[in-house]
Amino acid sequence: MKAFQVNAPHDYRVAEVEEPTAGAGEVLVRVAFAGICGSDMHIIHGDNAFVRFPRITGHEFAGVIDAVGEGITDVAVGDRVCVDPVISCGTCYPCRINRPNVCSALEVIGVHRNGGFEEFVSVPVANVHKLPEHIGLDAAALVEPYTIAANVLDRMQPHPGDRLLILGAGVIGMTILQMARALGIEEIIVTDVINERLTAAKELGATHVLNSREQEVEKEVLALTQGEGVPLIADAACVPALLPQMLRLASPAGRIGLLGFSVQPSELVQLEVIKKELTLVGSRLSNRKFPEVLKLMENGRLDPLALVSHRLPLSDMPNAIDMLDHRPEEARKVLISIGA
């Protein structure tokens, strides 16, 4: 079968690989669509410390169950499913307190084990979610990025009437924007350095957009909030150097959600944190948010296909990688058609 395989940093190709089988407790999924994520790009660039090469990447995908392993009764061949990439042990401390997304023995499909950029993939049955009838497989492939958004917003614990500042209008910033709107957050400020992304953010419901290369973000945000600052700040830019600015922009009792995996240190001014009693939270993957996101999609409160700028076949993966590397302003979400 065909698969997109990363052999080493910057060494990748569409290759012929052996088709997997469904072991006990697993299902074999015929992949229909898979989305390219920023973390896939990190693997390609050699910036992911968790991956072991060679690796078939892809953790945003949906398809149809093609075979089931021994002992499985709650799903069947032909079921349409999307896949939660988080595999946890169920017994360690994070799992015991219902935080399996940071399991001590965490495995992520597409990182620690082969993922969705292949025609067939074997996954634990516990990780598949059957799709409501009118959610297409293309939209279902994008459930996972919305679970990232749902998780960071949950970690920040919004209150009624809270404003939200999103730094970065890439795909994760846009999913946070849509999710925040679906959850009832009305005033949302989005910053980026690419005007095309800010235009898209406005179309998706941002009340204010700021180009941080052309405008003084701190001055503008403080003016918009009458000097109070912002209760909720989501760092979808993932630039460590922005942390001091986030601390200054946060309102007293504000919450800042961090999503980046950079190993570069950030300057943290303790006075800013203590005098405002700020809360800084990390957010990794998602803590069983797939049912929540599927329900919001089913009810029409999320529109994942609004994020899609390109649909390409698996054979075009190298060209898609080149575009995302060198012409990111041309793309939002790139969706790869595999067995559609």
Side-chain angles (χ1 to χ4, degrees), residues 62-89:
V64 179
I65 294 179
D66 195 72
V68 299
E70 182 182 349
I72 291 174
T73 58
D74 49 351
V75 295
V77 171
D79 283 348
R80 301 161 60 253
V81 296
C82 58
V83 180
D84 184 340
V86 175
I87 300 174
S88 53
C89 72

Side-chain angles (χ1 to χ4, degrees), residues 314-335:
L314 184 63
S315 59
D316 265 0
M317 275 289 288
N319 293 329
I321 299 302
D322 182 73
M323 175 176 62
L324 291 168
D325 264 339
H326 300 111
R327 304 183 306 281
E329 71 282 356
E330 294 181 13
R332 279 189 267 178
K333 175 59 71 176
V334 178
L335 196 62

